[in-house]
Amino acid sequence: MNYQQTLNEINTGLDCAKFGGKVANYIPELANIDPNKFGIHLCCIQKGNYSIGDNEEKFSIQSISKVFALAMAYPMLGEKLWKRVGVEPSGNPFNSLVQLEYESGIPRNPLINAGALVICDILISKLKSPKEDFLNYVRGLAGNEDIYFNEKVAESEKNSGYRNVALANLMKSFGNIENLVEDVVDFYFYMCSIEMSCKELAQTFLVFANHGAHFVTGEKILSESQSKRLSAIMLTCGFYDQAGEFTFKVGLPGKSGVGGGIAAIFPEHYSVAIWSPKLNKAGNSVLGMEVLERLTTETKLSIF
Ligand code: GLN
């Protein structure tokens, strides 16, 4: 498969002006991003890196970090994890509060904000220096030390993150948050502020395309079963209330973030990351979804 040629053809055939979308501005610091940034990076398990545009420029990975938090917490707690968070799509926006009240403070899944806050709570309880340890975990997965939090983005979200504070408080009232709400949301905001490039994200996601085995060291980060389950959650819940449409159009497990990034995997073959900051109403990158749809259509390769 000549992925570079396919990516070039997709890029040439893309009339970017035709696609709408808006840069996220509810986190003020994210509103400063150039809406026309565009990068793609695809990494094959059997070696081979293919890219387009701003693939080496770092951006705010936002909710894509929820996958890393889940990957870190799952082996720590094992199946007990699922007592505190579910595995069903929410069919609601990522920051919605409504289901939590009906469902007694148990979030639908770990990839919406409420579920990720529970995962953050677990990590805070388990880790000595939560922020530092988490960052080092991501660096380890990426095989790259040059990955950092963006303090400005974390602060900006802290100053505007009323819904996340509300979610954490509501879950605390149901007994599903062990630590102080302020510590949980602080960790969460830092986690979301991590910056990575498409190249770094694609390389990091290779572990999920590789049945949980690290792409350089071969170390088992997740068991086969854990890796299967994590991918299943990405497929069914990675795009909030648009998870069905993403699977329908693209046919790969993946995760989006409001920084405009999407990372996806074709198990046993490749991982791919796209960055284009203009989002649709569900908070997913408009061009990111379009490019991935064209990629699986052109290559005739998806998990289905
Ligand atoms: N930090 C963002 C928030 O909590 C993450 C949301 C996202 O990327 N979908 O609102």
Side-chain angles (χ1 to χ4, degrees):
M1 183 59 63
N2 190 337
Y3 287 115
Q4 189 62 54
Q5 192 184 336
T6 308
L7 293 182
N8 291 344
E9 280 166 13
I10 292 171
N11 190 34
T12 320
L14 211 58
D15 181 3
C16 294
K18 217 180 84 191
F19 297 92
K22 276 199 180 133
V23 173
N25 59 5
Y26 75 101
I27 301 172
E29 198 59 32
L30 292 184
N32 301 328
I33 307 298
D34 174 355
N36 298 318
K37 289 287 176 189
F38 181 66
I40 312 178
H41 195 97
L42 187 150
C43 278
C44 287
I45 290 199
Q46 306 295 345
K47 304 227 171 355
N49 280 271
Y50 310 97
S51 58
I52 297 273
D54 304 313
N55 69 308
E56 294 203 36
E57 187 167 331
K58 288 180 187 281
F59 61 93
S60 195
I61 69 167
Q62 290 296 319
S63 283
I64 301 173
S65 64
K66 290 170 180 166
V67 177
F68 304 144
L70 176 60
M72 191 179 194
Y74 190 9
M76 288 175 174
L77 237 69
E79 301 313 306
K80 278 192 282 187
L81 183 77
W82 311 117
K83 292 203 164 97
R84 295 189 54 190
V85 57
V87 295
E88 295 297 341
S90 66
N92 272 310
F94 59 84
N95 55 7
S96 171
L97 282 133
V98 288
Q99 267 166 352
L100 267 187
E101 174 74 345
Y102 295 127
E103 298 179 2
S104 309
I106 306 291
R108 277 287 174 109
N109 68 69
L111 301 184
I112 49 172
N113 290 16
L117 286 160
V118 169
I119 302 294
C120 288
D121 184 51
I122 291 167
L123 290 176
I124 292 175
S125 297
K126 293 276 179 195
L127 300 174
K128 273 207 183 91
S129 316
K131 285 184 205 163
E132 204 184 315
D133 295 350
F134 178 69
L135 192 57
N136 284 332
Y137 174 81
V138 176
R139 289 171 172 167
L141 277 189
N144 177 357
E145 291 296 301
D146 185 32
I147 293 172
Y148 299 93
F149 298 121
N150 180 323
E151 306 260 346
K152 267 193 178 170
V153 172
E155 281 306 312
S156 177
E157 187 165 4
K158 197 179 274 185
N159 294 332
S160 56
Y162 307 112
R163 296 189 74 89
N164 288 317
V165 176
L167 287 166
N169 271 305
L170 187 53
M171 291 190 289
K172 180 104 185 158
S173 79
F174 282 107
N176 198 18
I177 293 288
E178 290 169 358
N179 297 282
L180 290 175
V181 164
E182 62 199 75
D183 292 346
V184 176
V185 293
D186 177 69
F187 179 83
Y188 172 86
F189 294 144
Y190 271 82
M191 174 186 97
C192 291
S193 81
I194 287 182
E195 293 190 323
M196 290 169 80
S197 65
C198 289
K199 183 177 182 184
E200 290 164 342
L201 266 178
Q203 285 173 342
T204 310
F205 266 67
L206 264 188
V207 66
F208 308 123
N210 197 24
H211 297 284
H214 194 281
F215 72 105
V216 178
T217 63
E219 185 196 344
K220 267 303 222 183
I221 306 289
L222 298 169
S223 70
E224 297 285 328
S225 162
Q226 287 166 343
S227 172
K228 174 190 77 181
R229 290 178 169 197
L230 187 135
S231 297
I233 292 173
M234 284 201 270
L235 186 73
T236 52
C237 312
F239 298 85
Y240 319 113
D241 44 343
Q242 221 183 7
E245 189 172 331
F246 187 85
T247 302
F248 179 73
K249 289 185 169 167
V250 179
L252 299 177
K255 182 75 200 86
S256 63
V258 291
I262 296 182
I265 54 167
F266 180 32
E268 296 177 5
H269 293 262
Y270 66 70
S271 55
V272 59
I274 313 239
W275 176 41
S276 168
K278 287 198 217 160
L279 309 178
N280 61 26
K281 284 207 177 92
N284 299 318
S285 169
V286 175
L287 271 183
M289 282 183 69
E290 179 67 29
V291 166
L292 287 173
E293 181 182 2
R294 292 187 189 200
L295 176 66
T296 53
T297 308
E298 295 302 319
T299 57
K300 301 191 178 67
L301 294 173
S302 77
I303 66 165
F304 300 106

